[in-house]
Amino acid sequence: MFSVALSSVLVMGAAFAAAQSTTEPALPPGMSTYPDVPHASKTFAFEDLPYRIDDSTHLIRGNQHGYNICNDTTAGQDSLCQTSHFNSIDDFCLWAPPDFGRTIGDIEGIMVAWCTKPGHGTRLIPEGAITGLQWITTPDYVQAVGFIDQTLINVLADDSGGEMDPHGADLRGNPMGGIVYSNAWTGAPTQVIEWHLFLGSGRFCYKACDPRGRFDDRYCEHILDRIGCDYNVPNRAQDGVFEQCLGDNQDFPGVYTTNGVVMTYTQPAGDLGDIGFSPMTPSSSSCTQFESAALFSGLPTGVSPGSSTTSEDARPTGSGGVSSRRSTGTPSPSQTAGGAQNSQGSSASKTAALSGAALVGAVLSAVFLA
Ligand SMILES: *[C@@H]1O[C@H](CO)[C@@H](O)[C@H](O)[C@H]1NC(C)=O
């Protein structure tokens, strides 16, 4: 979610410049930027998950918001479970805000798991929130593209959103401590090392790359965070249709062929301008369609916080609905950019209200949100 060029080299360069330049504010005493081990390099058997994957307490973006041991005692619409599953068309979780009121760009670091099926110790995506869904299994990844009333999972109605992935410019992941497992390949929960989720503008597209694949980092690229679903997850999903299909692999995000020449797109630092290519949408086959009601059961009814006419102090609690729990996470203003939808406009900075103490950290953390 950082609007400057996002090749990892440039991001690291910017991060070090921010951390080391004498003209930039120094980190507060005792604080630093990077974890000892990058989030995406941590691996855990599902049975061996620690309470918190990210146990650092001295890093500029704050502590992990939730936890990773999730069970019946953590299930419910105020769960802060950050262990996610991505198994099948009727059993997957999105990352979405723990509370309503801030943009994805501001709180992507503290997202929690919202699932389609009870049993994972998480929140549940309310009944009817997903209005169309396509699940595709390809040689190198599984993918879900959906249409959603995003207010039912605490996303602001007009939020064009952003990208979640296990990297981030400070290598702590978004969400920090968020981990994904899938049983799609072996039948048992396997840690998904490379994944990306674009959520916003009433859509989501989520790809989990088979960790046994040689190119899982390419198919689940994490540096094209501003050009959204259409470029990172080209698809033919339709609102109102629930289907699962087999599919071919897409081209690596950002890679395309023009007149027989293979080209690689680089996301610019400033205005996206004309992106200049249309990605190939891979063909799919063997599609099976479902009634949504047949796919999902045991879901709570949702209450859209955005539709509430009550005051700020009387936030909806919703009968089994959307949590009203207030976040205690460190504010992380972000230069928001394209999420599920590619954003052609300049990435207007939405600066959150900051408490004085959080200011230095928040300004720095804006650099580390990619
Ligand atoms: C259930 O989860 C909670 C919270 O993470 C944890 O403290 C507890 O030990 C877990 N219970 C079991 C039986 O694993």
Side-chain angles (χ1 to χ4, degrees):
M1 292 295 303
F2 183 46
S3 65
V4 171
L6 278 168
S7 82
S8 52
V9 171
L10 285 178
V11 169
M12 293 299 289
F16 281 119
Q20 297 182 346
S21 164
T22 52
T23 61
E24 297 288 337
L27 292 174
M31 301 296 279
S32 54
T33 302
Y34 300 101
D36 294 337
V37 179
H39 180 64
S41 301
K42 296 179 181 175
T43 55
F44 298 95
F46 182 65
E47 309 72 38
D48 296 336
L49 277 168
Y51 183 67
R52 283 200 169 100
I53 288 173
D54 186 336
D55 59 358
S56 50
T57 55
H58 63 291
L59 298 182
I60 199 72
R61 269 215 289 161
N63 297 348
Q64 180 175 346
H65 190 67
Y67 40 77
N68 300 104
I69 296 178
C70 308
N71 53 38
D72 288 350
T73 70
T74 67
Q77 296 308 78
D78 60 357
S79 177
L80 297 179
C81 176
Q82 292 178 308
T83 296
S84 179
H85 298 264
F86 199 75
N87 292 334
S88 57
I89 187 171
D90 63 347
D91 184 13
F92 66 91
C93 315
L94 301 177
W95 296 116
D99 58 349
F100 187 79
R102 287 184 286 164
T103 65
I104 287 175
D106 284 343
I107 56 172
E108 62 185 354
I110 64 168
M111 298 286 209
V112 298
W114 293 73
C115 303
T116 63
K117 206 180 183 107
H120 299 305
T122 66
R123 300 184 190 211
L124 294 170
I125 297 171
E127 193 176 75
I130 296 175
T131 57
L133 179 64
Q134 184 186 56
W135 179 275
I136 290 190
T137 301
T138 80
D140 278 79
Y141 55 85
V142 287
Q143 163 182 306
V145 175
F147 298 82
I148 189 167
D149 177 350
Q150 62 190 23
T151 63
L152 293 174
I153 55 170
N154 283 348
V155 177
L156 299 174
D158 60 354
D159 191 355
S160 61
E163 178 185 344
M164 273 64 72
D165 62 60
H167 299 274
D170 65 357
L171 310 181
R172 296 183 68 190
N174 285 306
M176 296 180 285
I179 192 167
V180 179
Y181 289 85
S182 179
N183 66 17
W185 303 296
T186 67
T190 302
Q191 185 181 346
V192 183
I193 307 297
E194 299 287 355
W195 52 268
H196 58 200
L197 165 63
F198 295 81
L199 171 65
S201 301
R203 281 207 293 169
F204 62 86
C205 43
Y206 193 158
K207 199 187 295 154
C209 285
D210 187 338
R212 302 167 303 181
R214 189 171 155 209
F215 297 113
D216 60 336
D217 58 330
R218 299 295 306 277
Y219 288 116
C220 288
E221 184 58 86
H222 64 277
I223 62 174
L224 300 173
D225 61 336
R226 295 170 60 214
I227 59 174
C229 285
D230 294 342
Y231 289 85
N232 285 281
V233 191
N235 67 84
R236 293 191 188 85
Q238 301 166 67
D239 200 4
V241 175
F242 293 77
E243 63 178 5
Q244 71 179 11
C245 308
L246 301 178
D248 295 338
N249 287 332
Q250 66 172 98
D251 290 332
F252 299 144
V255 173
Y256 59 102
T257 302
T258 300
N259 298 325
V261 181
V262 177
M263 310 281 287
T264 300
Y265 171 80
T266 303
Q267 189 174 265
D271 195 328
L272 284 177
D274 179 7
I275 293 174
F277 77 102
S278 295
M280 176 272 286
T281 302
S283 60
S284 52
S285 62
S286 306
C287 293
T288 309
Q289 295 200 348
F290 300 87
E291 296 293 331
S292 70
L295 279 177
F296 305 123
S297 59
L299 297 180
T301 50
V303 176
S304 173
S307 67
S308 171
T309 55
T310 54
S311 71
E312 173 75 6
D313 291 335
R315 294 158 70 90
T317 53
S319 52
V322 180
S323 166
S324 63
R325 176 181 290 219
R326 280 181 177 278
S327 161
T328 55
T330 306
S332 310
S334 157
Q335 295 189 296
T336 58
Q341 211 166 37
N342 69 293
S343 74
Q344 292 288 346
S346 65
S347 53
S349 174
K350 295 181 185 168
T351 306
L354 296 173
S355 69
L359 185 60
V360 171
V363 168
L364 282 172
S365 71
V367 176
F368 303 122
L369 289 167

